[in-house]
Amino acid sequence: MQCECQSRLNEKILQAVKANLPKGSLEPKAELVNYAFIMNGNSMDTRVFLEFSGEVMVPKRGGGLKKQKIKQKITTAYCPFCGTPAENKDKE
């Protein structure tokens, strides 16, 4: 991602978690998940991804149907928080 939303939001999330912890709590950690490293030519980018799941009935070899789970990830082309394009078009 070209923006600073991930680090900025991670800090805000951590502060919100700290505010709700009881006194004496030590070393709280909290961060956004669903960020992936994407190889783009000779460079690596960070992208937000959405995960979806579902089910489908597929034919069995011996006849009949069986339920099969579907689980996929989709990367975003833009930051969902600020709208900045995910890919840096100015890279060499």
Side-chain angles (χ1 to χ4, degrees):
M1 302 298 291
Q2 295 187 79
C3 60
E4 299 297 322
C5 288
Q6 182 181 9
S7 58
R8 189 170 42 85
L9 289 169
N10 279 341
E11 184 59 34
K12 286 184 178 183
I13 290 167
L14 182 58
Q15 294 307 317
V17 167
K18 284 180 180 179
N20 293 314
L21 291 175
K23 284 190 175 186
S25 297
L26 298 174
E27 300 181 29
K29 294 179 183 174
E31 63 184 5
L32 289 170
V33 293
N34 291 4
Y35 276 85
F37 292 110
I38 305 292
M39 291 302 296
N40 188 6
N42 291 331
S43 65
M44 190 175 350
D45 289 329
T46 305
R47 298 274 181 94
V48 174
F49 69 87
L50 305 172
E51 188 171 33
F52 70 89
S53 61
E55 297 176 345
V56 63
M57 297 299 286
V58 296
K60 295 197 286 186
R61 283 186 238 166
L65 296 171
K66 68 177 182 177
K67 190 182 293 188
Q68 182 175 331
K69 295 193 181 279
I70 300 169
K71 195 171 188 178
Q72 291 287 324
K73 294 178 175 90
I74 303 169
T75 59
T76 60
Y78 295 88
C79 175
F81 305 107
C82 70
T84 301
E87 187 176 341
N88 187 352
K89 299 290 185 190
D90 297 332
K91 286 186 180 177
E92 294 178 15

